[in-house]
Amino acid sequence: MRLATPRGWYRKARPSLAARLLLGPLAAIWAGETRRRIAGATPVAPPIPVICVGNLTLGGTGKTPVVREIVQRLRAAGVEAHALSRGYGGRLSGPVRVDPTIHGGFDVGDEPLMIAASLPMWIARDRPAGVVAASQDGAAVVVMDDGHQNPSLRKALSIVVVDAETRSGEWPFGSGAVFPLGPMREPLAEGLARADAVVLLAPADLDALDPELMAALRGPVLLTARLIADAPPPPGSQIGFAGVGKPWKVERALLAAGCDLVGFEAFPDHHPYAEADLQRLAAQAGRAGAGLVTTEKDWVRLPPEWRTRVVAWTVRAAFDDPAALDALLASALKP
């Protein structure tokens, strides 16, 4: 059973005493085990460079659009770049190259399906084996979606994506507490120490980046990017829904883009939509005389017969300084 991300995790306030007493020991165990696993590993030297795009929290940063943009830029520069994911939520262990014509979300996971619609995409529980398979298929570089806390591979470049939105009292790291007391996969300082670069990803309508947040990320190379919609939201009244790390951000983004949202329902991240879920949403839309809109990540998890009834609102990561990104990527490809 997947649980919804607690929005309270992203408040700066220190967790309550009760939460600290109950969950603090578990958070300490989590952080300690992550630290020991990374420190005790001997990373495998891959046959081709590996660029890792990860994050420091449990989701909702926009990591997958950044992966897609990096692969596209490398390929536009003539580099045979492939993407690689663990394939979270899929039944296949891999290595397997994702084919959207034969694979579904239950096979390979939703994020790999998003990328595979336009780019070479692999899934593999065993990341080193996935890199070998991609290399044998002609890849000159692999861009790994997630894996900053996975020490199995030697990385030519480690990038972490951070949510730049700090409105409404939210902070991307919350109080800084590690799971399950907070959203962090590991303490901030430890994660940043292994990062070569940070991508600060902001929504399209955010006027200015928070200087306090930028100061907190000093050390690695800092790049900034915006999450831009590929097209306006669908016209007319809409019922929105999303099962992503921060579904409230989807609702906020749709409203900011001018969508006439008359209802919105949040689901847990990677939620497997049942027929009953979709029938209920469709009934709600019917009563309101509205359409249905969701994210691209949610849309690929829908049964094929529902995809014609729901609009996918797609977004991409647009870097403020593309030349700086290209220079960073080129440095990772040097022998």
Side-chain angles (χ1 to χ4, degrees):
M1 179 181 177
R2 296 182 176 92
L3 301 177
T5 302
R7 190 168 182 176
W9 266 356
Y10 298 98
R11 302 293 181 186
K12 268 187 169 182
R14 191 181 186 196
S16 68
L17 177 60
R20 297 199 307 272
L21 290 173
L22 180 64
L23 300 176
L26 296 175
I29 291 171
W30 178 284
E33 285 301 313
T34 300
R35 188 178 301 120
R36 282 189 288 273
R37 177 168 49 81
I38 292 171
T42 303
V44 172
I48 54 177
V50 172
I51 296 171
C52 176
V53 180
N55 56 20
L56 304 175
T57 60
L58 291 175
T61 62
K63 174 173 50 61
T64 300
V66 170
V67 170
R68 184 159 54 185
E69 179 66 14
I70 287 174
V71 175
Q72 286 173 337
R73 292 196 71 82
L74 287 168
R75 294 180 68 83
V79 179
E80 183 62 21
H82 292 200
L84 171 67
S85 168
R86 180 180 177 275
Y88 180 82
R91 64 178 181 84
L92 299 179
S93 59
V96 62
R97 182 163 171 168
V98 180
D99 182 346
T101 66
I102 61 173
H103 295 134
F106 288 108
D107 299 313
V108 297
D110 46 21
E111 289 155 345
L113 272 184
M114 285 172 54
I115 295 175
S118 58
L119 298 166
M121 178 77 224
W122 293 80
I123 59 108
R125 300 284 193 271
D126 182 332
R127 307 289 180 87
V131 175
V132 169
S135 174
Q136 292 173 344
D137 196 48
V141 60
V142 159
V143 181
M144 189 162 67
D145 187 346
D146 208 358
H148 188 60
Q149 292 76 26
N150 185 318
S152 63
L153 274 168
R154 186 182 302 165
K155 297 152 187 169
L157 182 65
S158 290
I159 300 171
V160 293
V161 182
V162 173
D163 179 5
E165 190 163 13
T166 57
R167 294 178 292 195
S168 305
E170 292 175 14
W171 189 249
F173 313 117
S175 67
V178 173
F179 176 84
L181 187 58
M184 301 299 294
R185 296 186 180 197
E186 60 180 322
L188 176 61
E190 295 178 20
L192 285 180
R194 298 194 317 280
D196 300 302
V198 171
V199 174
L200 200 52
L201 187 61
D205 67 318
L206 190 66
D207 294 331
L209 297 174
D210 190 324
E212 183 184 356
L213 177 57
M214 297 179 75
L217 298 171
R218 282 202 187 108
V221 173
L222 184 61
L223 301 174
T224 57
R226 300 273 172 168
L227 210 53
I228 306 294
D230 286 329
S237 300
Q238 300 292 324
I239 298 290
F241 64 97
V244 295
K246 295 178 180 176
W248 60 88
K249 287 175 61 69
V250 176
E251 180 180 17
R252 191 155 58 198
L254 281 166
L255 289 170
C259 184
D260 180 17
L261 273 185
V262 295
F264 186 88
E265 184 163 351
F267 292 87
D269 198 9
H270 303 285
H271 179 70
Y273 291 103
E275 183 69 18
D277 295 326
L278 299 169
Q279 290 289 356
R280 178 170 47 77
L281 288 165
Q284 185 181 352
R287 290 191 295 270
L292 289 169
V293 62
T294 193
T295 71
E296 182 183 7
K297 174 176 168 177
D298 289 278
W299 189 84
V300 299
R301 292 201 305 277
L302 299 178
E305 61 273 17
W306 279 94
R307 292 178 189 171
T308 59
R309 303 174 62 178
V310 179
V311 174
W313 193 51
T314 62
V315 295
R316 61 184 178 87
F319 279 79
D320 295 328
D321 187 350
L325 173 63
D326 292 341
L328 181 68
L329 298 177
S331 71
L333 303 182
K334 291 179 181 177

